Amino acid sequence: MTTMEVPTLAPRPTLRAKGRNIVAVASGKGGVGKTWFSITLSHALARAGQRVLLFDGDLGLANVDIQLGLMPKTDLGSVVAGRMTLNQALTRFPEGGFDIIAGRSGSGTLANIPLSRLQMLGDDLVLLAGNYDRVVVDLGAGVEKTTRNFSQQAGTIMVVTTDEPTSLTDAYAFIKVTHMERPGTDMRIVVNMANSTREGERIYNTLLKACEGFLKISPPLAGVIRRDLKVREAIRNQTPIMMRSPNAEAAADVEAIVERLIRSR
């Protein structure tokens, strides 16, 4: 597996250490269930007793609020425009027990903000993270500057993939770029929409072999999420799966990921 050359971003080590409780959710390509996983991960962490913030870091195609059926009065657009602080842009999602900072749905304008403003936004997020046990950042797909900037702030990065060849190739591309910019980053693989746990482990091993063979790293398996029709139903109804179908297999799989995440810290 190969990937294009991408200009590196300069790391900011002083704030990086403060972002250890930030969990970035990434993917090489869209359509792998990254936003659904970010929402469900946040919900599961909150149910485990943690104070959680979900930050919609997909500045090009923000849709966390859409999947939750929310119409927030504030969003990142107001923060970037200087009309409010990041803390003032918080929206409480009481049914899930966590806070949200929404992106600007239906607008790609935030994807083009200057790099200096983007870095300030990332630094502000690290400072805000001090008020929470966990901050989950739903990154945009790919390796664009916005995605890489927010991923630099994270203590842990969950890379979501499926069994599609393009998903695996693009997940590898993201891992490669991140490893080049931040060697030693805690990256973990989440296999989504697997036909079975065993099948998910096989998919993970395919990606692992590429990472070991070409990058000489071995990102661990965070967990396998089985294919579940109740996920589609929950998204269609704009309701978290742990509220609509708490006993669903996919919900149980995310809870298992959360248990391992909490134990690892």
Side-chain angles (χ1 to χ4, degrees):
M1 296 183 184
T2 59
T3 182
M4 60 183 177
E5 295 299 321
V6 180
T8 58
L9 296 174
R12 298 183 295 287
T14 50
L15 283 175
R16 180 192 300 172
K18 296 180 182 179
R20 288 180 60 84
N21 64 330
I22 297 178
V23 180
V25 179
S27 69
K29 68 183 291 292
V32 300
K34 175 179 53 60
T35 296
W36 173 86
F37 175 68
S38 297
I39 291 170
T40 310
L41 181 67
S42 300
H43 197 183
L45 283 164
R47 284 164 58 100
Q50 302 219 331
R51 183 151 192 240
V52 181
L53 168 66
L54 173 57
F55 179 90
D56 194 339
D58 188 347
L59 301 189
L61 295 169
N63 61 3
V64 163
D65 54 327
I66 294 173
Q67 284 206 24
L68 289 174
L70 299 176
M71 296 184 66
K73 297 179 180 179
T74 59
D75 59 36
L76 278 177
S78 298
V79 178
V80 171
R83 292 193 294 271
M84 63 177 57
T85 65
L86 201 58
N87 188 60
Q88 291 171 328
L90 291 171
T91 297
R92 184 67 178 169
F93 181 52
E95 295 88 347
F98 56 92
D99 292 339
I100 295 169
I101 294 181
R104 175 153 290 185
S105 300
S107 171
T109 55
L110 294 185
N112 299 315
I113 66 175
L115 182 59
S116 59
R117 187 68 188 91
L118 184 63
Q119 291 177 334
M120 288 177 60
L121 185 62
D123 292 346
D124 288 346
L125 178 62
V126 172
L127 294 175
L128 183 60
N131 298 327
Y132 293 88
D133 297 313
R134 303 276 176 172
V135 173
V136 177
V137 180
D138 180 27
L139 297 175
V143 290
E144 301 301 322
K145 67 176 183 179
T146 54
T147 297
R148 289 155 50 220
N149 180 76
F150 286 133
S151 68
Q152 278 195 356
Q153 313 291 359
T156 300
I157 301 177
M158 300 276 195
V159 183
V160 182
T161 188
T162 66
D163 64 347
E164 293 183 7
T166 52
S167 174
L168 286 165
T169 302
D170 291 349
Y172 171 80
F174 177 89
I175 292 169
K176 178 181 178 180
V177 170
T178 302
H179 174 66
M180 290 170 58
E181 293 185 346
R182 288 178 57 194
T185 298
D186 178 14
M187 286 186 282
R188 311 179 191 186
I189 310 300
V190 175
V191 179
N192 193 23
M193 295 184 278
N195 291 325
S196 66
T197 301
R198 179 174 294 182
E199 175 70 8
E201 291 170 350
R202 184 195 64 76
I203 295 165
Y204 161 71
N205 284 326
T206 299
L207 183 55
L208 177 64
K209 287 178 181 177
C211 292
E212 291 179 336
F214 296 103
L215 305 179
K216 310 305 178 188
I217 60 173
S218 303
L221 177 64
V224 174
I225 304 172
R226 289 164 288 179
R227 190 180 302 276
D228 193 333
L229 292 177
K230 291 178 181 177
V231 170
R232 186 183 297 273
E233 293 175 5
I235 294 173
R236 188 183 301 118
N237 286 274
Q238 298 177 292
T239 305
I241 192 169
M242 290 182 180
M243 292 173 57
R244 182 174 177 83
S245 304
N247 297 320
E249 289 182 344
D253 292 338
V254 175
E255 287 180 324
I257 291 172
V258 163
E259 289 176 8
R260 287 189 287 271
L261 179 62
I262 292 175
R263 285 202 308 265
S264 69
R265 291 286 174 166

